[in-house]
Structure formats: C-alpha cells, structure tokens
Amino acid sequence: MTLRPPLEERCPAPPAPSVLAGRLSRRRELFERADGTSGTDRYLFPIMAALVPVATSRGGEVAYPGDPMCLYSALSLTVERSVARLERGLAPQPSLDDVVPDWGRYPDAAYRRTEDGPRSVLIADSPTTDGHVFDPRIWDDVARQAFITELLALRPKVLLLSSVSAGHRYALEMAELAREHAPHCLVVLGGRHADETVRYQHATSTADLSWSSTVEVIRDGRARPVVDFVVAGDGAPLLDLLLRAVGLVAAPGYGPTPVEEVLDALPLVAAHDGTTKGVGSIVGLTADEAVLVPVRGERVNASQLPSPYEAFSVRARFGIFTRAESSPLGSRTAHVMTLDACPFKCTFCSESIQVSQRPTRFAVSETEHVAQRIGQLVDWGAEAAFFDDPVFWGGNWKAITDFCHDLARLQDRRPEARSFEWGAQLTVDVVLNRAKADEVGAALDLMRESGCTYIYIGIESMAQQVMRNVGKNLLRRNPEAWVSKVREALNTIRSHGIRVGSSVLFGLDGEDRGTIEETIEEIGRLIDDGLLIMASPNILTYHPGTAITAAHLSLIHIVVSRLLDEDDIWFIHEASAKRWGSTRNSAAESVASIGA
C-alpha cells in the first residue's frame, strides 16, 4: 500500500491562480461542447447510492436492512452542495463547483407526507433527492434484477455503496454488477464496515487494515477489483471532498474517470478550500496498488451538518409509537442521533468508543439545537422519533434534562408538536446511577412529560456466566447480580410511566444451551410481570475491531457466533416465540437467516 501525505486542516497554498483558473476554464469549455444535453444539465453527472442489505429472506420473512441513517448522514453535504448549485446555476466565471453530481431537488412537503415505506420508483425517473437511494432491504433474485434495472436506466458515473460488516459480501456482489452493467462507473464503498476496517494512525503515520476490509479482500484475491474507492471516518465531509475531486477531473458523458486522476485532484480541492474538514481515510484502488490518503482536517460537529432528513423522506413506521393513530403500522418515525459512539466498552459492540472512534456528535450544550431539529421533523411529516444513540446523550442526565426542557418549550410554542412521541436507548447502569438517583427520577418524569413513551434497554443475557465476560455489568457489587439489576432498572423506568423494550443477544462468551434456556425464561418472567412490552432476540455477529472478534480471530470468516450451531439458533427462534408470545419483536422472526 502507498501512503500519500495527509490532507491537513490547514492546507498548503493552492496552485497559482492562473494555473487553476486555466484548468477550470478548459473544463467549462469541454462541457459546453458536450453533445446530448443542453444548458446547465450538461454539467451534472448521474449518481446513485445504495443501502446494502445484510440478509436474504427465509420463508418470506425479511431480516433487517443495513444502516440507513449512516448513509443519509454521509450524503448530507454532497447533496446540499449539489442542490445549492442547481438553484443558483453556473457562476459567471469557471468554478470548482461547475460539475456536480445530479442529486435532484429536495422533496416538497406534499411528497414528504405521502411517501413512506421502501422506495419503489426507479431512481432514473425521480426528480427528488429522496429518489436517488436504492434500498432493497433484502438481497435476493428480485433485488438483484431491480438493481441491474437501476444501473441500466441511470448509467451512473459514481455508485455509492453503504455497508455494515454483515452485508459486505453483498456490497461486493453489487459492485460486480456495476462493473458489468455500468462498466465506467466509479464504485465507492463506505459505511460502518469501512469505518471498522480501515484505520490510519496519525501518531505513527501507519495504516491498519483489517483482514476483512474491502482493500485487503481485493488485494489478496478473495474478490475481484470491483471497488475504486473506500471512504472511512467522517463520512459527510470526506465524501463531499471525494465527489468534488471527481467533478474536477470527470469528462462529459459516460466515459471512464481514472482513479489516479481523482487521487491527484484531492489535494487541489482541499487546498482550494483552505481548510480541510473531517478526519479519516480515502483509499483509491488503482490497477497496480492501493493508495491511502489520510485526512486530518477540522472535526465537524453534528450541528454543523444538515439534518439527514433534509434530502430524504421520513419513511419508517414503528408499531411501538401509536399516538398519532395515522396508520395501523404505527406512527411515521424519524431516527435521530445525538452521538455516534457509545462511552462504554462492551466486548461485542461495534459502537463502542474503542472500536468506532467516531466523535461526531452533538455537544451536551446543544440540546436546544436538537429540539429545533425535532421541530423540523414535525414540519416534514414525522409523528415520532427514536433516538438511535447507543446511549441517549451518552447517559449524561443533565443533557437529557436540558433537552426535555428545550423540547417542552418548543411544544409550548407549536401546538402541532405536542402530540409528538419519542423513545430512546439507555443502559441498566445509567438508570441505576445511585449517586444521582433523584436527578434520574426527575429526568425520567421530564422525559415522559415531553413525549417519551418508550425506552429501549440492551439486556443481552440473563445468565451470570455470560454477563461476567461482556464488560457491560459495570457495577458489580456483590450480591447485586445482573438479573436483579435488570429488574430494578426496568421497575424504575416503568414507575415513571414509560414503557420498556429490550434486546437480547445470544452467542456471547460463556453461552451454552443452559444459559440460552435461562435467559429465555428470565426474560419471560419480566414479560409476565409487565416490565417489558417487547423483547427482541438477536444472534451475535462478528464486527471487526471488537474484543470478541479479536478473541475469535481464527474464525473471523464466520458471520455469526462460533458458540451457536444451527440447532441452537432454531431453538432460540422457537423457544423465545413460545415463551415470550406476542411480546417478542416480530422483526426477529428471521433471526436464523442472518448471514444466510
């Protein structure tokens, strides 16, 4: 691998103005002479984004999609730049932003309030930014043919694939199809898998690539060279930088865009801007080598980025939220995040701060800004929101309290926001903060009063021999066992009038058939006692960078826990359905198909 000099926060001076101006002038002349288009349309290049699914279907049941909010967030700056360029037209003089990806225009209010569920309209036929994301939900023959149809109709100059680690194999297959049906398309892969598998160590100026990274999979021949770029780190500013570099070197029409020329254009774009934004890595895969360009720019706070829903409709409906009574499927629900990384260090979790190293977040002082974003979501047709943070506001009860006050003030000013419903994720130990018991209780009351009707808790296991290995049970005061702590935390939340759901994770270290049966029964007792309204059984999947994956390194080619065989997985599927009844999350019906 070749390492290029880092793109620093303060870039070197740009090329002599006459040199850059001459290049931009020649590019404008080239596009002006292009055939087949008229006006400013000739300066737009077709682009397509795809959310890579993580599972096939089994028995007609769908597992779960990838991480749509990661993709929406990563697209936010490039879409904003493209839409602004379309609205203002060409600058009088040749500009770096002459040539931009064609994301279309933002959806209007009528579109936002009528469109939900998976996208079914061909990207090529959609004039809105919302219509430029292919979202197959599962990867099967139907999705494969639909993807080919999209490629043939749009003939994108750039294809963006966002993948979590469990979907990487499908990302590579989608890239293969792009090579076949849109052969000159640049394929860019990002998302959680890239973040977890490509690291640049600035202190030592070295690159650390996991065995399962896209770069290594291609370099050692496990996959064909079907990916041109990998983007890891702060997705929004890095992707915006990369696509501006593509625009600087791209030619009109559907011809190829050389990877080497895009790599050479990156420092030109960064120097032109003066200040580089974002931290991470851009890896270009040429015919001969992998070239890593470190980016060590200014950190971008979440408040500096557009809302992920600026360009996309709120499409999800959660049956857990029903206050709006607008659909039997539940309220139209937005996803919101106040931070990307969890402050805790559970051995299995890819969102742990020691794995993700993603500090992009709202500061605890920015609660009013987040409340204003809720008001924006209401304007866009959202009836509810779920805070997808690993831990809501990082478990900071002062920030939680401030946010509830800010949201209440918004609701006082705007009657239409008073019926807005929301939920969030907390942990057992955050709820049982003994030193702040009064503050916790007051904050839970404020949460309920400002519309919080649901809290999600990661229980993982109810077997002590499993939980002692996880790194989750932080307050191990004897004889305070995990089971009793879970029950106390759920009782605390329910006593403040908020419903509780949970995730249960099978396959952690120490798991056997006995611990599986113990967990299923103990969760059943919590349901019987009215402490849980929903329980979701999940199977451990390996994420690069987690402690449990490192411990099982020799088996890294396995997708799901090495401690579970197929009989165990189907036992979990059937036994949890029988014991938990309708309280079991229906989305877990296909838990056994993960990785199929």
Side-chain angles (χ1 to χ4, degrees), residues 12 21 40 48 89 124 131 178 181 191 218 264 281 295 366 375 385 425 513 527 534:
T40 59
M48 175 178 170
H181 298 285
I218 289 175
D264 290 341
S281 301
V295 181
E366 294 174 331
Q425 297 191 71
R513 185 59 67 92
I527 294 169
M534 188 275 287

Side-chain angles (χ1 to χ4, degrees), residues 57-104:
S57 62
R58 177 178 296 214
E61 297 165 347
V62 178
Y64 57 93
D67 186 346
M69 297 314 297
C70 180
L71 176 59
Y72 291 177
S73 297
L75 297 180
S76 60
L77 284 179
T78 179
V79 171
E80 180 183 59
R81 186 182 300 278
S82 172
V83 172
R85 159 66 178 73
L86 288 174
E87 290 178 348
R88 70 173 180 263
L90 282 177
Q93 298 299 318
S95 164
L96 183 62
D97 288 332
D98 278 352
V99 181
V100 296
D102 184 8
W103 288 110

